[in-house]
Amino acid sequence: MIRLLSYKEVLTFICAIIGLAIAFNLNCRRKSKPKRQKKLGFIELFAGRDPIVDIIAIHGLDGHREQSWTAEDGTMWLKDLLPGDIPNARILSYGYDADTRSFAQTSTQTIFHHAVTFTENLSMLRRANPK
């Protein structure tokens, strides 16, 4: 026989599930790598030999301007591998506040705001370092 749950029982069940999810998430975070430091803006990974083009890597949500492109063995393909194939390119990586999962603080900026900040920073970089 199937019994209908009362409102209080359903609410208790939902709270228990949420509690388990939070506990699981906290446990996973404790086992994960140490919190990575936020590094925002541009970093030049390779200046290029007589550069004729800029290659700019932009990470995705919850990404990092350097760690998103680095393998577990420490090889950062943008800096360690790509320059050999495209020596006439200046290679940059751009970091922005893309934190969507932090309990402490998540980004409140919109994609549009990130885009405006990116273009302003790129314009300043190119004025300061015209190559």
Side-chain angles (χ1 to χ4, degrees):
M1 182 172 179
I2 297 176
R3 178 177 77 84
L4 293 176
L5 297 175
S6 70
Y7 177 75
K8 185 177 178 182
E9 290 171 319
V10 170
L11 193 56
T12 302
F13 178 74
I14 291 171
C15 288
I17 295 295
I18 291 171
L20 285 173
I22 290 171
F24 177 76
N25 194 15
L26 289 175
N27 191 33
C28 288
R29 286 183 182 268
R30 277 189 216 112
K31 292 179 184 175
S32 65
K33 297 176 186 175
K35 184 167 175 79
R36 54 189 175 191
Q37 188 177 21
K38 288 184 182 178
K39 293 186 178 182
L40 309 178
F42 284 97
I43 182 171
E44 185 176 85
L45 303 173
F46 181 68
R49 288 181 224 123
D50 297 319
I52 57 172
V53 67
D54 285 341
I55 296 174
I56 303 171
I58 305 172
H59 61 79
L61 295 177
D62 295 317
H64 185 272
R65 74 175 183 183
E66 294 169 67
Q67 293 173 351
S68 291
W69 318 110
T70 305
E72 288 183 14
D73 68 358
T75 302
M76 182 185 209
W77 71 271
L78 292 170
K79 179 173 64 176
D80 302 327
L81 304 175
L82 189 59
D85 292 329
I86 312 173
N88 293 89
R90 178 169 66 164
I91 302 171
L92 308 157
S93 184
Y94 181 75
Y96 63 99
D97 187 4
D99 193 354
T100 64
R101 296 190 233 178
S102 173
F103 282 117
Q105 181 178 3
T106 58
S107 177
T108 58
Q109 297 179 4
T110 65
I111 296 296
F112 178 79
H113 186 266
H114 285 306
V116 169
T117 303
F118 168 78
T119 54
E120 288 171 352
N121 288 340
L122 180 59
S123 179
M124 287 188 296
L125 176 77
R126 286 192 170 157
R127 273 190 236 124
N129 299 310
K131 290 189 178 182

